[in-house]
Amino acid sequence: MKYEEKSLKRKAAELRIEIVDMITRAGSGHPGGSLSAIDLLTVLYYSIIKVDPQKPDWNERDRFVLSKGHAAPAIYAILADLGFFPKEKLTGLRQFGSILQGHPDMRKVPGIDISTGSLGQGLSVAVGMALAGKIDKKKYKVFALLGDGEIQEGQIWEASMAAAHYNLDNLCMAVDHNGLQIDGKIEDVMNPSPIEDKFISFGWKVKSIDGHSLKEIYDAWNWARSTENGKPSAIIAKTVKGKGVSFMENVVGFHGKAPTKEQGREALDSLKKALNGVK
Amino acid sequence: MSELKATRDAYGDALIELGKKDKNVVVLDADLSESTKTAKFREHFPDRFFNMGIAEQNMIDVAAGLSTCGKIVFTSTFALFATGRPWEQIRNTVAYSNLDVKIAASHSGISVGADGSSHQSLEDIAIMRVIPNMRVIVPCDAPESFKATIEAASIPGPFYIRFGREKVPVITSKNDDFEIGKARVLKDGSDVAIISCGMMVFLSLEAAQMLEKEGINAAVIDMHTIKPIDTKILSQFADKARAVVTAEEHSVIGGLGSAVSEFLSETLPVPVYKIGTRDTFGQSGNPVDLIKKYKMTAGDIAEAARKAVSRK
């Protein structure tokens, strides 16, 4: 698909509003990592990935794995906007009886390809999906989004080894590198750097980008999906946790805490201004 | 002496059969394909066999990913590493979403022998049974292992199927009926019901012979499906015999004995005596010595039956 910066920018701004609105209503959730990931996901879902909201189980579709499942509000906002399920459902986030569980559930939400929430598992699932694509000689790609704290899980490196071993060049992964995890800065908690070198040494193709530059994101996802040299692709996207809401940016406390009603209103006001700025 | 065959061997044979029938059957192993007998599948279907290396957590989630794309996936390694190492992957990714992953493990129980405690899985039935959506099968011999593997592939959703390393007597026939969730009455009896699984079934038959000589008429039930357990047979025999013995090559905590007790304590409380390891780790040794050491011989089963009968 074509790159249309203005419409993508507008979309990302709208989705930020949905995310903050959902989490504020719910009174719990993970705003920081949803906002850091939303630009990566907006470009993916509105200009790269091949999915059909009318046929969520379409066999030939591209797959997506939200390995950092706590960014559920981000993917929910997108799937609702694309028509996978009615937008009204967004108000039910994390509520009893809602399809929108705290972490994504593939059996409840159309468009979710795998249930996630427990960190470190999604990349392995993506490897399995990519392997199935190779067995069946399908053209679909498998996209995955990981957190940078998440890559502290040993299983990520088991999966990385397997992806390269089986030459899964249909696997396109991005790390949302916002530098923060619940207990603080990732380099203080358990330093995973140098991230790029690690994936290179595991046999991946690696590209580092600004995870809030829509053009860089677009080029990176395209690079990842079009690379067919036997290597899986990793995009290391430098991002800002809480991006777009000034009082949340780079504030570790907003990893898994909802804004108060008042903070929510303030955030929504500024996000709406930002959206008007795009128009 | 009847024919001897390892249950893991029958598993390998069943995989070949499945591979021929359904191109969506995929097999993963974690560097133990010769031991688990998945190598048999690899030889016939190299394009659908993937060695995942010594990385069981990844193996389980790769299987999950494959299953979302229409594959019926068997994952194999030793029982301890098939269930213990990736327990949370099984719980959160495979079972929660009810995915078509069949965890088929070999080298279960104390009879692994010489490798010692680190390789003797005595907790696997417990930790698989506790997970919602998971079904747990412990076949008693080779023909039953073959049938269990074939049938598990035809039922959507996760399974844990437990095989052993040692050759064990063939006590069922190829032509016997087999249905997951339906226990088999190998010997009818009215004084005590011995309910067992895996290789403890043939020891239970031996125990029943011993008891017969003493005038105790014991039933022997092959409870190959531990979950969902056959409550109909349990009720029927607990009601008839009013004394129960369970026998499993597993800890008495959480396994077959617990499953039987859980059901009977709510419906038909009768004495239930459990044969199995008692809150302990194993050790190196030959299987015969270990079965003796942990009080799991036919004689031990008979003794438990006598106690149960005396409680009536």
Short mmCIF file of all heavy atoms in Angstrom, two decimals, chain A residues 159-186:
data_model
loop_
_atom_site.label_atom_id
_atom_site.label_comp_id
_atom_site.label_asym_id
_atom_site.label_seq_id
_atom_site.Cartn_x
_atom_site.Cartn_y
_atom_site.Cartn_z
N ALA A 159 13.73 -18.72 20.63
CA ALA A 159 12.94 -18.48 19.42
C ALA A 159 13.78 -17.84 18.32
O ALA A 159 13.65 -18.17 17.14
CB ALA A 159 11.74 -17.59 19.76
N SER A 160 14.66 -16.91 18.73
CA SER A 160 15.52 -16.24 17.75
C SER A 160 16.41 -17.24 17.04
O SER A 160 16.63 -17.17 15.83
CB SER A 160 16.39 -15.19 18.45
OG SER A 160 15.56 -14.20 19.01
N MET A 161 16.95 -18.16 17.83
CA MET A 161 17.82 -19.21 17.27
C MET A 161 17.03 -20.05 16.26
O MET A 161 17.51 -20.35 15.17
CB MET A 161 18.31 -20.08 18.42
CG MET A 161 19.69 -20.66 18.23
SD MET A 161 20.11 -21.76 19.61
CE MET A 161 20.16 -20.67 21.01
N ALA A 162 15.82 -20.41 16.65
CA ALA A 162 14.99 -21.27 15.79
C ALA A 162 14.59 -20.55 14.51
O ALA A 162 14.59 -21.14 13.43
CB ALA A 162 13.74 -21.72 16.55
N ALA A 163 14.28 -19.25 14.61
CA ALA A 163 13.86 -18.49 13.43
C ALA A 163 14.97 -18.45 12.39
O ALA A 163 14.73 -18.61 11.19
CB ALA A 163 13.47 -17.08 13.84
N ALA A 164 16.20 -18.25 12.85
CA ALA A 164 17.33 -18.22 11.92
C ALA A 164 17.65 -19.62 11.42
O ALA A 164 17.91 -19.83 10.23
CB ALA A 164 18.55 -17.60 12.61
N HIS A 165 17.57 -20.59 12.31
CA HIS A 165 17.91 -21.98 11.94
C HIS A 165 17.01 -22.46 10.82
O HIS A 165 17.47 -23.16 9.91
CB HIS A 165 17.76 -22.89 13.17
CG HIS A 165 18.11 -24.31 12.92
ND1 HIS A 165 19.42 -24.77 12.95
CD2 HIS A 165 17.35 -25.38 12.60
CE1 HIS A 165 19.42 -26.06 12.67
NE2 HIS A 165 18.19 -26.46 12.46
N TYR A 166 15.73 -22.11 10.88
CA TYR A 166 14.79 -22.57 9.85
C TYR A 166 14.57 -21.51 8.76
O TYR A 166 13.60 -21.59 7.99
CB TYR A 166 13.48 -23.03 10.50
CG TYR A 166 13.65 -24.38 11.16
CD1 TYR A 166 13.61 -24.53 12.55
CD2 TYR A 166 13.92 -25.51 10.40
CE1 TYR A 166 13.81 -25.77 13.14
CE2 TYR A 166 14.12 -26.75 10.98
CZ TYR A 166 14.06 -26.88 12.35
OH TYR A 166 14.27 -28.10 12.94
N ASN A 167 15.48 -20.54 8.67
CA ASN A 167 15.48 -19.57 7.58
C ASN A 167 14.13 -18.88 7.38
O ASN A 167 13.62 -18.79 6.26
CB ASN A 167 15.89 -20.25 6.25
CG ASN A 167 17.23 -20.93 6.37
OD1 ASN A 167 18.19 -20.36 6.90
ND2 ASN A 167 17.32 -22.17 5.92
N LEU A 168 13.57 -18.41 8.47
CA LEU A 168 12.22 -17.85 8.39
C LEU A 168 12.24 -16.38 7.96
O LEU A 168 12.03 -15.47 8.75
CB LEU A 168 11.50 -18.03 9.73
CG LEU A 168 11.38 -19.49 10.18
CD1 LEU A 168 10.68 -19.60 11.54
CD2 LEU A 168 10.64 -20.33 9.14
N ASP A 169 12.48 -16.17 6.66
CA ASP A 169 12.51 -14.80 6.15
C ASP A 169 11.10 -14.24 5.97
O ASP A 169 10.94 -13.11 5.53
CB ASP A 169 13.33 -14.70 4.87
CG ASP A 169 12.89 -15.70 3.81
OD1 ASP A 169 11.79 -16.27 3.95
OD2 ASP A 169 13.65 -15.91 2.85
N ASN A 170 10.09 -15.04 6.32
CA ASN A 170 8.71 -14.53 6.32
C ASN A 170 8.31 -13.99 7.70
O ASN A 170 7.15 -13.70 7.94
CB ASN A 170 7.73 -15.62 5.87
CG ASN A 170 7.89 -16.93 6.65
OD1 ASN A 170 8.88 -17.12 7.37
ND2 ASN A 170 6.95 -17.85 6.50
N LEU A 171 9.28 -13.90 8.58
CA LEU A 171 9.03 -13.41 9.95
C LEU A 171 9.59 -12.00 10.11
O LEU A 171 10.78 -11.77 9.89
CB LEU A 171 9.68 -14.36 10.95
CG LEU A 171 9.64 -13.99 12.43
CD1 LEU A 171 8.20 -13.84 12.92
CD2 LEU A 171 10.35 -15.05 13.27
N CYS A 172 8.70 -11.06 10.47
CA CYS A 172 9.09 -9.65 10.59
C CYS A 172 8.79 -9.20 12.01
O CYS A 172 7.62 -9.07 12.39
CB CYS A 172 8.28 -8.80 9.63
SG CYS A 172 8.13 -9.49 7.97
N MET A 173 9.81 -8.94 12.77
CA MET A 173 9.62 -8.64 14.19
C MET A 173 10.09 -7.22 14.49
O MET A 173 11.05 -6.73 13.87
CB MET A 173 10.43 -9.66 15.00
CG MET A 173 10.32 -9.54 16.49
SD MET A 173 11.57 -8.45 17.17
CE MET A 173 12.99 -9.53 17.20
N ALA A 174 9.41 -6.55 15.41
CA ALA A 174 9.88 -5.25 15.87
C ALA A 174 9.96 -5.24 17.39
O ALA A 174 9.11 -5.85 18.06
CB ALA A 174 8.96 -4.14 15.38
N VAL A 175 10.97 -4.60 17.91
CA VAL A 175 11.09 -4.40 19.35
C VAL A 175 10.71 -2.95 19.65
O VAL A 175 11.29 -2.02 19.08
CB VAL A 175 12.52 -4.67 19.86
CG1 VAL A 175 12.63 -4.36 21.35
CG2 VAL A 175 12.94 -6.11 19.58
N ASP A 176 9.73 -2.78 20.51
CA ASP A 176 9.32 -1.45 20.96
C ASP A 176 10.29 -1.04 22.07
O ASP A 176 10.09 -1.35 23.23
CB ASP A 176 7.87 -1.53 21.47
CG ASP A 176 7.37 -0.22 22.04
OD1 ASP A 176 8.07 0.80 21.88
OD2 ASP A 176 6.29 -0.21 22.65
N HIS A 177 11.34 -0.35 21.64
CA HIS A 177 12.47 -0.08 22.54
C HIS A 177 12.25 1.24 23.27
O HIS A 177 12.84 2.25 22.95
CB HIS A 177 13.75 -0.05 21.69
CG HIS A 177 15.02 0.09 22.47
ND1 HIS A 177 15.12 -0.16 23.82
CD2 HIS A 177 16.27 0.42 22.06
CE1 HIS A 177 16.37 0.04 24.21
NE2 HIS A 177 17.08 0.40 23.16
N ASN A 178 11.37 1.21 24.28
CA ASN A 178 11.08 2.46 25.01
C ASN A 178 11.95 2.63 26.24
O ASN A 178 11.87 3.63 26.94
CB ASN A 178 9.58 2.57 25.34
CG ASN A 178 9.09 1.43 26.22
OD1 ASN A 178 9.82 0.96 27.10
ND2 ASN A 178 7.86 0.99 26.01
N GLY A 179 12.76 1.64 26.53
CA GLY A 179 13.78 1.80 27.56
C GLY A 179 13.33 1.66 29.00
O GLY A 179 14.14 1.76 29.91
N LEU A 180 12.03 1.43 29.19
CA LEU A 180 11.51 1.34 30.56
C LEU A 180 10.75 0.04 30.78
O LEU A 180 10.08 -0.46 29.87
CB LEU A 180 10.58 2.52 30.86
CG LEU A 180 11.19 3.92 30.89
CD1 LEU A 180 10.08 4.96 31.08
CD2 LEU A 180 12.24 4.06 31.98
N GLN A 181 10.85 -0.47 31.99
CA GLN A 181 10.01 -1.60 32.40
C GLN A 181 9.49 -1.29 33.79
O GLN A 181 9.82 -0.25 34.36
CB GLN A 181 10.80 -2.91 32.33
CG GLN A 181 12.04 -2.96 33.19
CD GLN A 181 12.87 -4.21 32.92
OE1 GLN A 181 14.03 -4.13 32.54
NE2 GLN A 181 12.28 -5.39 33.14
N ILE A 182 8.71 -2.19 34.37
CA ILE A 182 7.98 -1.82 35.59
C ILE A 182 8.91 -1.29 36.69
O ILE A 182 8.62 -0.30 37.33
CB ILE A 182 7.18 -3.02 36.14
CG1 ILE A 182 6.12 -3.43 35.13
CG2 ILE A 182 6.49 -2.65 37.47
CD1 ILE A 182 5.31 -4.64 35.54
N ASP A 183 10.04 -1.97 36.88
CA ASP A 183 10.92 -1.58 37.98
C ASP A 183 11.91 -0.46 37.65
O ASP A 183 12.73 -0.11 38.49
CB ASP A 183 11.68 -2.81 38.50
CG ASP A 183 10.86 -3.55 39.56
OD1 ASP A 183 9.80 -3.04 39.97
OD2 ASP A 183 11.28 -4.65 39.98
N GLY A 184 11.85 0.07 36.44
CA GLY A 184 12.73 1.18 36.12
C GLY A 184 13.29 1.11 34.71
O GLY A 184 12.67 0.55 33.81
N LYS A 185 14.49 1.69 34.54
CA LYS A 185 15.13 1.67 33.22
C LYS A 185 15.63 0.26 32.94
O LYS A 185 16.19 -0.39 33.84
CB LYS A 185 16.34 2.62 33.20
CG LYS A 185 15.96 4.08 33.33
CD LYS A 185 17.22 4.93 33.30
CE LYS A 185 16.86 6.40 33.44
NZ LYS A 185 18.04 7.25 33.67
N ILE A 186 15.45 -0.18 31.70
CA ILE A 186 15.85 -1.56 31.41
C ILE A 186 17.33 -1.78 31.68
O ILE A 186 17.72 -2.84 32.13
CB ILE A 186 15.48 -2.02 29.97
CG1 ILE A 186 16.14 -1.14 28.91
CG2 ILE A 186 13.98 -2.07 29.77
CD1 ILE A 186 16.06 -1.75 27.51
#
